[in-house]
Amino acid sequence: MALVEEGEEVEAAASTVLTHTARTEFLGAMSRIAACTDPAKRAIILSGGVDTSAILAAARELGITFSCAVTVITGEDSPDRAFAQAVALEHGLEHHIVRVTSSELIECYLPACVRELATFDGMTLRNSLVIAAAMRKVRELGLLHAVVGDGADELFGGYSFMWGSADDPAAWQEKRDKMCRQWTFATSALAAAEGLTSHSPFCDPDFVAFALTTRREDCIGVRPIRLVLKGPAVEHETGKLILREAFDTLASWRRKDPIEVGSGITIITHDAFWAEIVGDAEFETARTEAEQRGFRLTSKEHLVNFRAFEVSFGSSSNATNGWALPAKVRLALGQGCVGCCFEIGEATFCNVCGAYPAQR
């Protein structure tokens, strides 16, 4: 028994040291962002989740300020609303809540997001519509810099699909490291489209170097998680343990909600949302025609995205095999990505159509 207790004490002490190191490294990353941005021209895109709440906690510790916070929601029941309002109030931030319907986001931002990101992948575009609206608001406020939380989920196992490999932590770490070596984020392109620069402390090279030393057990575990602000806590497996423990915030033990869920735009994944835009018969006809051309369309949302994609990158005098997609070549039918025939090399996920697994 004494040996077990001693082992637990050593493990707890190591965890405390690691948490302290995480704090130190994160504060350094925040300091570097502050050094290259004007506080009067700096906003935070605030979801009220673990990541952006940690950013504000670190900023307060360092005396770093923001001109304001910006949150985008599609309804008053959007999960981000209550958390973001509470966090902004706690930090005394001027808080701009952009209230917009899912239909308005699609109408205003879908063509530009498709064009900027060269994709018709639903997951990428749902999240990007919300980010684009936030960046537009930052620009309208006359600001130049947007601080975001990109990278935390990839580094610390925030996504539920990263919670496996419990019996093989080395494999988990290898997959995590590979994901982070290959990561790309839409945020920088969407910010640049509005004349802004985005910054994430989680993408700071020194912080990334530290984060990649963490193990599965430092990131994944069962803890009491809240779905709503001040709601009951339910024991549940979750990621980002090290970040949750490093900074004590109102959202430290909030459930991980992707941007599309937190904002409420996830509703557009349902075919019923598109009923008045794309009829069932029209969809089946369009899907069959696309399949004959080598494109697999999985939903009405996917079809609408594809149509916008085709407008931007279809027939052109500069096209390769009928498509003028930057840095991408469309191969013959039966080659390349299983969902769109664009070249993907050895990638398992296609960032053009969203197919996974994308290999044939």
Side-chain angles (χ1 to χ4, degrees):
M1 177 67 73
L3 288 175
V4 172
E5 290 177 351
E6 182 177 338
E8 290 176 347
E9 289 175 0
V10 170
E11 185 175 331
S15 177
T16 300
V17 170
L18 189 64
T19 301
H20 175 75
T21 304
R23 283 179 52 82
T24 301
E25 294 290 344
F26 194 67
L27 292 171
M30 284 297 299
S31 295
R32 287 185 283 277
I33 289 176
C36 67
T37 57
D38 178 354
K41 296 292 184 180
R42 183 171 61 217
I44 181 170
I45 309 302
L46 180 64
S47 67
V50 175
D51 313 337
T52 53
S53 296
I55 288 173
L56 286 176
R60 178 167 57 186
E61 191 167 327
L62 294 166
I64 297 170
T65 60
F66 295 87
S67 175
C68 65
V70 174
T71 304
V72 176
I73 59 172
T74 61
E76 293 306 302
D77 59 347
S78 297
D80 282 353
R81 182 189 62 80
F83 278 102
Q85 284 182 317
V87 173
L89 181 63
E90 179 189 30
H91 290 272
L93 279 170
E94 180 180 320
H95 191 199
H96 297 273
I97 300 179
V98 179
R99 291 176 166 87
V100 59
T101 67
S102 295
S103 295
E104 289 168 340
L105 284 174
I106 293 164
E107 180 180 355
C108 292
Y109 300 104
L110 181 62
C113 285
V114 168
R115 186 169 58 252
E116 290 293 335
L117 304 176
T119 185
F120 59 99
D121 169 40
M123 180 180 67
T124 298
L125 289 170
R126 286 190 296 276
N127 292 326
S128 296
L129 293 174
V130 176
I131 296 169
M135 295 301 177
R136 176 70 55 82
K137 183 63 177 179
V138 173
R139 192 258 295 167
E140 290 173 348
L141 291 167
L143 307 179
L144 297 175
H145 301 280
V147 177
V148 299
D150 289 353
D153 290 302
E154 289 79 3
L155 290 170
F156 299 128
Y159 300 116
S160 58
F161 69 78
M162 297 178 71
W163 299 348
S165 301
D167 58 345
D168 193 349
W172 180 89
Q173 193 162 347
E174 182 180 351
K175 292 176 183 177
R176 186 274 308 273
D177 293 359
K178 181 178 179 181
M179 179 190 301
C180 294
R181 286 194 300 269
Q182 297 176 344
W183 68 13
T184 59
F185 298 101
T187 313
S188 57
L190 297 174
E194 296 291 342
L196 310 173
T197 303
S198 63
H199 309 265
S200 173
F202 299 104
C203 295
D204 176 89
D206 287 348
F207 185 78
V208 171
F210 156 73
L212 293 182
T213 67
T214 60
R215 304 160 299 171
R216 185 189 185 280
E217 64 194 77
D218 303 320
C219 302
I220 314 295
V222 176
R223 297 291 190 279
I225 298 298
R226 287 184 168 81
L227 274 63
V228 296
L229 184 66
K230 298 181 180 178
V234 178
E235 290 286 321
H236 199 281
E237 190 165 34
T238 191
K240 298 189 286 195
L241 293 184
I242 187 170
L243 182 61
R244 295 175 186 273
E245 293 169 352
F247 293 95
D248 183 19
T249 74
L250 290 172
S252 287
W253 301 104
R254 179 186 172 183
R255 178 184 66 180
K256 161 63 185 175
D257 284 331
I259 294 171
E260 64 174 274
V261 174
S263 66
I265 198 175
T266 194
I267 190 175
I268 74 174
T269 61
H270 305 297
D271 277 358
F273 173 86
W274 302 95
E276 296 182 7
I277 300 172
V278 179
D280 293 343
E282 177 188 357
F283 172 63
E284 291 304 327
T285 299
R287 178 162 64 175
T288 299
E289 291 176 349
E291 183 79 25
Q292 293 170 350
R293 298 164 58 201
F295 295 98
R296 293 186 182 180
L297 304 179
T298 59
S299 65
K300 292 181 179 181
E301 176 197 17
H302 210 193
L303 171 60
V304 172
N305 293 346
F306 175 70
R307 286 174 170 171
F309 179 84
E310 194 163 26
V311 168
S312 291
F313 302 107
S315 298
S316 166
S317 59
N318 297 319
T320 299
N321 205 1
W323 295 86
L325 195 64
K328 284 282 188 178
V329 175
R330 188 159 195 260
L331 305 177
L333 294 182
Q335 299 180 25
C337 170
V338 69
C340 65
C341 297
F342 278 98
E343 62 177 356
I344 54 170
E346 298 180 358
T348 56
F349 171 77
C350 177
N351 56 20
V352 174
C353 71
Y356 180 85
Q359 295 291 337
R360 293 182 183 274

